[in-house]
Amino acid sequence: MLDTTRRVATPEGIELTLRLAGPVPRALAWSIDLAIRVAVVFAVSLAASAFGKAGVGVILLAWFFVEWLAPAWFEAAWNGQTPGKRAMGIAVLNDDGTPLRWPAALTRNLLRAADFLPLLYGVGLVAMLSNRDFKRLGDLAAGTVVVYLSEKIKTERRIPEAPPIAPTVALDLDEQRALLELAERSQTLTQERFEELAELPRPLVGDLDGPRAAARLIGMANYIAGRQ
């Protein structure tokens, strides 16, 4: 079975060793997902066939949902896994080892249309065999990798736990790391100093005062770290 290992640095600066999944386990996972999708569309077709043209519309909508949206939804909601990937013990992660979220999941799944060309994922297979990370076009565009979940080294976050808050503006990788490093340093700084620093990134905290700005940054750090 084709696979390799790769070391990545998370936004927190922690290194992870990942075992990348090659074409064979990914093809098996896709086959399982395909069988499930076919079964769902078949069941909908049986139920909707009695409604004539309206039923045809329902069938087309069901096919569109299970083919393009459902896989992305599963990957975003199930920690990078579809039913097939879960059965094979593999999952999708961002390039930096952080959990997959909806935008990247949608991007990589919509580009399956290009990877499928000319048939049976011919372009996707060539792309996977052309780079050491086994990335198809969707992975290259979304910045994702597919790994064996059991091979991901678990690391303990050193940031204070708090309800996650999504950042109000898009942050690049360096900005995410800076935010997480500040949250980690909050444990070694005085409360007054941390609150003073928390007021500086105004695009993130707006006009919040020290204590509320600090709480908001800690919440955003928890969100970036993938805590639920």
Side-chain angles (χ1 to χ4, degrees):
M1 189 175 291
L2 293 174
D3 61 76
T4 187
T5 58
R6 177 187 178 194
R7 296 185 68 83
V8 300
T10 68
E12 305 95 305
I14 299 171
E15 285 195 343
L16 298 176
T17 299
L18 304 176
R19 184 171 169 231
L20 299 166
V24 174
R26 293 175 65 171
L28 292 174
W30 175 81
S31 298
I32 294 171
D33 289 332
L34 177 63
I36 294 173
R37 294 199 298 270
V38 170
V40 170
V41 173
F42 180 73
V44 172
S45 299
L46 289 179
S49 59
F51 297 97
K53 292 183 178 180
V56 173
V58 171
I59 295 169
L60 291 175
L61 286 174
W63 175 84
F64 177 82
F65 176 79
V66 301
E67 182 65 26
W68 301 111
L69 299 183
W73 181 87
F74 274 116
E75 288 180 354
W78 278 19
N79 297 316
Q81 293 182 303
T82 60
K85 288 185 177 68
R86 180 165 290 188
M88 295 303 300
I90 61 179
V92 187
L93 298 175
N94 292 318
D95 277 338
D96 59 7
T98 54
L100 186 70
R101 298 196 182 278
W102 174 253
L106 186 61
T107 297
R108 72 184 304 277
N109 276 282
L110 290 179
L111 280 173
R112 283 191 293 117
D115 281 308
F116 192 83
L117 297 172
L119 75 158
L120 296 178
Y121 284 94
V123 170
L125 180 60
V126 171
M128 280 193 282
L129 296 179
S130 299
N131 65 86
R132 68 177 302 275
D133 292 333
F134 299 125
K135 290 190 173 196
R136 59 177 179 82
L137 298 183
D139 292 312
L140 292 169
T144 56
V145 290
V146 182
V147 304
Y148 287 96
L149 197 59
S150 61
E151 298 294 330
K152 181 186 173 186
I153 296 178
K154 304 294 182 182
T155 58
E156 206 174 302
R157 311 291 186 185
R158 296 190 300 273
I159 63 175
E161 291 192 12
I165 301 173
T168 53
V169 296
L171 301 177
D172 60 29
L173 186 56
D174 288 337
E175 291 168 335
Q176 292 180 41
R177 285 176 175 163
L179 178 55
L180 287 165
E181 287 171 3
L182 178 59
E184 288 181 341
R185 288 184 60 197
S186 69
Q187 313 235 39
T188 61
L189 298 171
T190 64
Q191 184 66 23
E192 292 77 13
R193 178 55 177 162
F194 178 61
E195 291 175 359
E196 179 183 347
L197 293 173
E199 292 180 347
L200 296 179
R202 288 299 177 186
L204 293 177
V205 300
D207 295 327
L208 296 178
D209 57 17
R212 290 188 296 168
R216 186 168 184 81
L217 287 187
I218 294 296
M220 291 180 183
N222 277 267
Y223 179 89
I224 293 171
R227 290 177 175 167
Q228 301 298 320

